[in-house]
């Protein structure tokens, strides 16, 4: 059974850097085709894809946010970390960690964490 | 970037009704389209991928169709558990994009 859980600060100040950690179980990020990504959702708004990292360390980023995002993985700890620089109140959202498998369904998120709400405010 | 639109934004329907939601892509995406269901305070749940393939455990009253730029999600007989917001998502490229969603509420 695949599980993912997001952790990180609930409140950050404008201009600060956000660091979120996704801890997962039920799969390995060393398995061919597997990816772990991030998606966010501002309150009452639609979903926005942010980034994904694959088993082979291939990384993809949302073009409008690429300059602010970094995604890394720690296979030994089964964790993926997302950093987002220069946070703004418009970045207030629930941030979800997701699993995908290029072998099974392609790059689409097929399992999701519960999400973590991050508020950006001074 | 590929933009996704959905219509209607809100749909009011009764239990037992057949409902159809529409999703359009700004350029052809073949059948690289997924549908998700999201309930308030919960993470989205994958319903359909590759435009028409039902994900594991999804009830057969859900179906998807379409290709190119126009897609539909149909619920053949709306059940109380189906009142939620539905999002389409394209994955023609590694840069995924979602539509704005269609909220299905009780008439």
């Amino acid at each position: 059974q695949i599980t993912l859980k997001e952790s990180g600060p609930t409140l950050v100040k404008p201009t600060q850097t956000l660091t979120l950690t996704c801890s997962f179980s039920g799969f390995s990020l060393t398995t061919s085709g597997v990816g772990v990504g991030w998606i966010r959702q501002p309150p009452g708004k639609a979903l926005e894809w942010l980034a994904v990292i694959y088993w082979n360390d291939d990384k993809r980023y949302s073009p409008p946010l690429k300059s602010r995002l970094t995604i890394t993985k720690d296979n030994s700890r089964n964790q993926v970390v997302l950093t987002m620089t220069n946070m703004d109140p418009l970045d207030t959202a629930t941030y979800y960690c997701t699993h995908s498998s290029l072998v099974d369904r392609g790059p689409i998120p097929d399992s999701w964490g519960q999400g973590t709400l991050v508020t950006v405010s001074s | 970037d590929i933009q996704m639109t959905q219509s209607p934004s809100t749909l009011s329907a009764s239990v037992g009704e057949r409902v159809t939601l529409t999703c359009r892509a700004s350029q052809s995406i073949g059948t690289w389209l997924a549908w998700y269901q999201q309930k308030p305070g919960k993470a989205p749940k994958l319903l359909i991928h590759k435009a028409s393939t039902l994900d594991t455990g999804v009830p057969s009253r859900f179906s998807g169709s379409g290709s190119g730029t126009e897609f539909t999600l149909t619920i053949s007989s709306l059940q109380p558990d189906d009142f939620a917001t539905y999002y389409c998502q394209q994955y023609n490229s590694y840069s995924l994009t979602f539509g704005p969603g269609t909220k299905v509420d009780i008439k």
Side-chain angles (χ1 to χ4, degrees):
Chain A
Q1 179 191 0
I2 291 173
T3 64
L4 308 107
K5 187 170 185 180
E6 306 86 353
S7 59
T10 58
L11 179 66
V12 297
K13 290 180 169 33
T15 76
Q16 285 187 337
T17 294
L18 171 68
T19 300
L20 292 173
T21 300
C22 174
S23 302
F24 57 84
S25 63
F27 66 95
S28 171
L29 202 35
T30 62
T31 300
S32 181
V34 172
V36 172
W38 291 89
I39 289 169
R40 70 179 179 179
Q41 185 173 37
K45 296 192 176 180
L47 301 159
E48 180 183 19
W49 177 79
L50 299 178
V52 63
I53 188 167
Y54 288 101
W55 84 104
N56 58 358
D57 212 38
D58 185 20
K59 302 166 188 178
R60 307 285 173 146
Y61 296 100
S62 167
L65 294 169
K66 185 174 182 177
S67 64
R68 299 175 52 204
L69 296 173
T70 303
I71 191 169
T72 59
K73 63 184 174 75
D74 184 335
N75 292 334
S76 64
R77 303 177 74 175
N78 281 351
Q79 290 182 334
V80 167
V81 174
L82 180 77
T83 61
M84 180 180 289
T85 61
N86 194 25
M87 292 292 285
D88 182 271
L90 290 175
D91 296 314
T92 294
T94 295
Y95 287 75
Y96 294 101
C97 172
T98 66
H99 165 278
S100 60
S101 171
L102 299 180
V103 173
D104 293 334
R105 300 171 180 84
I108 59 171
D110 54 21
S111 294
W112 299 60
Q114 63 189 22
T116 186
L117 176 62
V118 177
T119 301
V120 184
S121 174
S122 54
Chain B
D1 288 359
I2 300 174
Q3 308 300 319
M4 307 300 292
T5 58
Q6 290 184 245
S7 61
S9 55
T10 304
L11 188 158
S12 297
S14 303
V15 172
E17 260 189 74
R18 178 184 180 90
V19 299
T20 299
L21 287 59
T22 299
C23 172
R24 290 186 174 87
S26 60
Q27 65 189 72
S28 179
I29 58 171
T31 56
W32 301 116
L33 186 99
W35 288 95
Y36 294 85
Q37 176 193 66
Q38 187 180 32
K39 297 181 179 178
K42 300 293 187 183
K45 173 189 172 185
L46 177 64
L47 296 177
I48 287 171
H49 60 98
K50 203 122 190 318
S52 61
T53 301
L54 225 56
D55 204 43
T56 306
V58 175
S60 59
R61 62 181 180 272
F62 291 92
S63 63
S65 66
S67 65
T69 61
E70 187 150 340
F71 302 85
T72 59
L73 172 69
T74 299
I75 309 172
S76 60
S77 177
L78 200 63
Q79 298 302 301
D81 192 48
D82 302 337
F83 292 98
T85 299
Y86 293 84
Y87 293 95
C88 62
Q89 177 207 53
Q90 69 80 21
Y91 54 109
N92 186 59
S93 68
Y94 279 104
S95 182
L96 313 179
T97 48
F98 290 88
T102 292
K103 183 178 180 181
V104 178
D105 64 19
I106 301 172
K107 194 172 189 179

